[in-house]
Amino acid sequence: MSTSPKILARRLVARSRLIRVEEVDLEFANGARRTFERIPGGADSVLIVPLLDAHTLLLIREYGAGSERYELGLPKGIVEPGEDPVAAANRELQEEVGYAARDLQVLGRVSVVPGYLGHRSLIILARTLYPSRLPGDEPEPIEVVPWRLDALDALLARDDFDEARSLAALYLTERLLARERGAASPA
């Protein structure tokens, strides 16, 4: 395994209400020096895979300022300081989808663009849903879109469903459900 590079210096080069950008000077084990820009991590987030029943996934459609269009994806949000991530997932589910879950299961943790972003998302499967709504902070109502699990190929073919975390979450969910189906099969 490679030795981690030595951090020589860090400088804040930009800051907004939501994002800080740092320059980081590094020296690698072979003596090479480079300066990288990065967005250091803040609070982790949760991304929820809500299963309404054994055949139906609940997606949301909301505006993505980064992509400048409405995106179809999974509910998600920031874990508040001191908040348990699983509780955060249940809160976000109620705020964005109008359901709470009796069964919440952590499927994994993913990062996106780790060369630049120090942020991770916990992927949580939510089952045994029941109606429950909490007020959220969204600027407009979020559209909830039920989607059949047997139609995932059609979902993956859509132009408005391409967020990497949502794709990873569906992959992890499909693997878990396949294992559960295999365990339930008679020997």
Side-chain angles (χ1 to χ4, degrees):
M1 175 174 266
S2 299
T3 302
S4 293
K6 181 179 177 183
I7 298 173
L8 302 174
R10 296 177 204 235
R11 292 171 299 288
L12 182 65
V13 295
R15 178 182 213 119
S16 75
R17 183 175 56 84
L18 297 175
I19 298 172
R20 291 180 13 237
V21 179
E22 290 181 345
E23 281 185 343
V24 181
D25 297 330
L26 300 174
E27 182 176 4
F28 290 82
N30 65 1
R33 290 184 176 203
R34 296 289 187 278
T35 298
F36 288 89
E37 288 185 356
R38 72 181 201 126
I39 299 172
D44 278 351
S45 65
V46 290
L47 184 118
I48 306 103
V49 181
L51 294 182
L52 184 60
D53 56 43
H55 308 287
T56 311
L57 168 72
L58 295 177
L59 301 169
I60 60 170
R61 184 184 326 277
E62 65 181 335
Y63 187 74
S67 64
E68 298 181 343
R69 67 182 189 165
Y70 282 88
E71 301 275 347
L72 193 58
L74 294 166
K76 58 199 144 306
I78 297 294
V79 178
E80 299 295 335
E83 186 178 29
D84 174 76
V86 174
N90 213 21
R91 175 183 50 76
E92 288 291 343
L93 187 60
Q94 292 171 80
E95 291 174 2
E96 296 189 0
V97 182
Y99 283 90
R102 289 187 177 90
D103 178 14
L104 294 147
Q105 180 178 359
V106 176
L107 298 181
R109 186 179 301 270
V110 296
S111 63
V112 181
V113 197
Y116 296 99
L117 300 176
H119 177 80
R120 292 185 172 182
S121 292
L122 199 62
I123 297 174
I124 298 178
L125 179 63
R127 296 192 263 198
T128 317
L129 304 183
Y130 60 93
S132 178
R133 178 156 304 277
L134 290 174
D137 59 359
E138 290 76 18
E140 64 182 359
I142 295 176
E143 179 185 356
V144 177
V145 179
W147 198 277
R148 296 221 11 120
L149 288 172
D150 60 8
L152 287 181
D153 286 341
L155 178 62
L156 298 174
R158 293 178 60 106
D159 288 339
D160 62 349
F161 184 82
D162 62 0
E163 187 208 7
R165 293 180 303 166
S166 290
L167 293 166
L170 289 183
Y171 170 75
L172 292 173
T173 300
E174 277 291 292
R175 285 187 51 149
L176 174 71
L177 295 176
R179 284 193 308 270
E180 289 177 354
R181 283 190 300 270
S185 298

